[in-house]
Amino acid sequence: LTNAYIELEKPSDSFKGIFVGFIKMSVTDKVTGELRSMDAAQFLIDKKMHINGGVNLVSQFKRSSVPSGTAVKVTYIRKDGNVKVYELTLLG
């Protein structure tokens, strides 16, 4: 399975899926141009794998210790500076 990046664009955008866990993704630093590794949350949505590397979102999943296999709803609430703020709801 390949991972597609899932981006929530405007406040109130959301998705429902199964939290799979964390993976490492490679990104190019916009300032230095260097390739670096960062954590991303991985989700199964409509039989397809998706990832999101938003620092706040990944941090919320880590802090709350959501187990793999948990049904979740992720909602984009607002932007605080350069950081997107999300609401995480456990389903089921």
Side-chain angles (χ1 to χ4, degrees):
L1 294 173
T2 358
N3 290 309
Y5 199 85
I6 186 163
E7 182 84 25
L8 300 177
E9 298 293 330
K10 61 184 188 303
S12 80
D13 281 355
S14 66
F15 66 83
K16 292 179 182 177
I18 305 296
F19 174 66
V20 176
F22 301 103
I23 63 166
K24 294 284 187 188
M25 63 183 266
S26 297
V27 294
T28 303
D29 188 294
K30 293 179 182 176
V31 176
T32 65
E34 292 180 43
L35 194 60
R36 62 183 178 91
S37 178
M38 66 183 281
D39 288 333
Q42 189 175 30
F43 306 92
L44 179 62
I45 304 168
D46 297 326
K47 299 180 184 177
K48 295 178 185 169
M49 296 303 289
H50 294 271
I51 59 172
N52 184 296
V55 175
N56 187 18
L57 182 62
V58 170
S59 177
Q60 276 187 271
F61 272 94
K62 287 183 176 183
R63 273 193 323 267
S64 58
S65 300
V66 175
S68 295
T70 301
V72 296
K73 179 180 179 184
V74 175
T75 305
Y76 172 31
I77 302 298
R78 69 180 183 283
K79 197 163 189 176
D80 189 8
N82 288 333
V83 177
K84 288 184 176 179
V85 177
Y86 297 91
E87 177 181 77
L88 175 60
T89 307
L90 304 181
L91 304 175

